[in-house]
Amino acid sequence: MKKIAVFTSGGDSPGMNACLRAVVRTAIYHQIEVVGIKHGYDGMINDEFVEMDAKSVANIIHRGGTILKTARSKEFMSLEGRQKASANLMKHQVEGIVAIGGDGTFCGALELSKICNIPIVGCPGTIDNDLIGTDFTIGYDTAINTVIEAVDKIRDTAESHDRLFFVEVMGRDAGLIALRGGIGVGAESIIIPETKTDIEDLIKRLESGRKSKSSKIIIVAEGDEAGGAFKIAEQVKTRLPEYDTRVTVLGHIQRGGSPSAMDRVNSSRMGFAAVEALMQGQRNVMIGIVDKNINYTAFENATKHIQELNPDLMRMVGILSL
Ligand code: F6P
């Protein structure tokens, strides 16, 4: 293998730069040339290919976002777009690709592989942790630490005013940020798309909860079927007017910031493993880390969105928040 391409795609996540650095430096160590593709699949279509060397990834391990920029490409969804992308990859004599992104990125990679014979290996870059085949995706640990830091601050003011707060966190299809973040802040309840939201039960719990508790924090995943923090708070307010209720949506602060130690190390390991996987002839697989070991999962299986929640965690939340 003489030349590989690397790109980041979909929502950015803290640790993408660390992964990129590992890909570039591992390839260079093995005397493989590297081109970076800017703006994800859009850049593949628009020929935004840039040469990368060891220096181009210096001093980025600690930076959030992605120096290659990212996009959610509409054009790549069409066959015509993918054909343009494929022609550019051939023009640049790319022999292997590392795709850093989430499920949309890997679904796109699978589509590309139907018309382009260049092997693709993925690294799981998303704060949502909603991919099968890795314990932690790149950015998830940093995101939950951001949630914890923010909600700790909300707890201070909630406690001072004896208030009930609904805090909405990211996770369009998955409640894993809400679950871990919620456990970390000692949330009174966690509302996620993976479990049926029972507003009656929530109201009962709020009515019967420990009266001595002056603040209450409910963490809501944005993708919950009940409609997000504002909608749920409205319903609760009507039924429990005695609570002084507020809503905070944490939003995109969860995607930014310097990656945690865990994200830096995992991203480096996965970027390193991705290049070696390409060299070993792997294709259409996502690198992951399971039980501390590097793991390979076919793109089709990685993107299935069926991360099973540990039922013990949900049971524990109920018990610890009493
Ligand atoms: O895919 C990660 C994610 O952060 C989701 O949790 C969230 O719903 C979405 O991206 C937001 O995307 P955008 O930045 O395009 O609004």
Side-chain angles (χ1 to χ4, degrees):
M1 189 162 283
K2 291 197 242 13
K3 189 174 190 178
I4 63 166
V6 60
F7 67 98
T8 50
S9 161
D12 61 305
S13 64
M16 278 184 162
N17 280 330
C19 185
L20 190 58
R21 169 180 176 271
V23 168
V24 172
R25 296 213 168 148
T26 307
I28 288 169
Y29 173 81
H30 289 293
Q31 287 160 351
I32 299 171
E33 263 181 74
V34 194
V35 282
I37 304 171
K38 298 197 110 179
H39 297 110
Y41 288 119
D42 275 348
M44 209 182 268
I45 294 169
N46 299 325
D47 200 6
E48 293 184 72
F49 288 55
V50 289
E51 297 296 325
M52 309 224 36
D53 58 16
K55 206 168 162 225
S56 64
V57 289
N59 295 323
I60 63 166
I61 195 167
H62 60 293
R63 282 170 58 187
T66 159
I67 60 159
L68 279 183
K69 311 226 177 226
T70 187
R72 299 190 195 277
S73 176
K74 288 218 170 66
E75 208 181 340
F76 196 77
M77 291 186 178
S78 70
L79 179 61
E80 205 195 340
R82 292 194 292 277
Q83 280 166 340
K84 277 192 208 161
S86 171
N88 283 329
L89 290 163
M90 308 298 271
K91 183 175 97 184
H92 289 276
Q93 297 178 317
V94 170
E95 293 176 20
I97 303 169
V98 178
I100 307 170
D103 64 322
T105 305
F106 302 147
C107 289
L110 266 182
E111 287 305 312
L112 181 64
S113 71
K114 292 178 187 161
I115 57 157
C116 173
N117 195 27
I118 303 171
I120 310 173
V121 168
C123 290
T126 165
I127 61 164
D128 291 348
N129 207 35
D130 59 346
L131 290 162
I132 312 291
T134 191
D135 291 339
F136 292 96
T137 55
I138 294 169
Y140 175 56
D141 183 63
T142 309
I144 53 182
N145 278 295
T146 301
V147 168
I148 284 172
E149 213 180 296
V151 179
D152 283 350
K153 290 179 178 158
I154 292 171
R155 178 72 83 176
D156 289 344
T157 175
E159 189 71 14
S160 307
H161 286 266
D162 299 335
R163 277 177 176 159
L164 164 64
F165 264 85
F166 288 83
V167 181
E168 185 176 298
V169 300
M170 274 188 166
R172 205 173 13 204
D173 308 300
L176 293 161
I177 296 178
L179 183 58
R180 284 215 171 220
I183 292 171
V185 298
E188 275 62 34
S189 193
I190 300 172
I191 298 179
I192 53 177
E194 289 85 347
T195 56
K196 189 150 176 28
T197 300
D198 183 348
I199 302 286
E200 286 309 314
D201 181 63
L202 175 65
I203 289 169
K204 242 188 261 153
R205 283 165 54 83
L206 285 168
E207 276 171 333
S208 63
R210 191 148 49 89
K211 295 287 177 278
S212 57
K213 271 190 157 188
S214 54
S215 67
K216 287 192 166 55
I217 307 265
I218 317 279
I219 303 287
V220 183
E222 66 174 332
D224 187 73
E225 79 279 4
F230 276 104
K231 276 206 175 149
I232 297 172
E234 263 326 300
Q235 293 183 60
V236 172
K237 252 196 236 174
T238 338
R239 297 279 301 281
L240 300 174
E242 65 273 28
Y243 275 108
D244 191 6
T245 305
R246 294 289 186 276
V247 179
T248 302
V249 177
L250 293 187
H252 285 78
I253 62 160
Q254 294 160 92
R255 283 234 296 258
S258 186
S260 65
M262 180 162 146
D263 271 325
R264 294 180 198 200
V265 175
N266 283 352
S267 306
S268 301
R269 285 189 70 192
M270 292 197 263
F272 175 77
V275 175
E276 299 210 325
L278 280 175
M279 292 171 69
Q280 288 154 12
Q282 301 241 35
R283 54 167 61 215
N284 289 349
V285 292
M286 183 196 84
I287 304 288
I289 298 179
V290 175
D291 291 338
K292 300 190 183 133
N293 295 312
I294 292 293
N295 187 60
Y296 308 93
T297 306
F299 285 150
E300 293 94 320
N301 298 333
T303 53
K304 277 191 178 145
H305 277 305
I306 42 161
Q307 272 250 24
E308 273 186 28
L309 292 184
N310 180 343
D312 269 356
L313 287 187
M314 292 304 285
R315 204 167 58 84
M316 183 184 83
V317 172
I319 294 171
L320 299 190
S321 66
L322 288 179

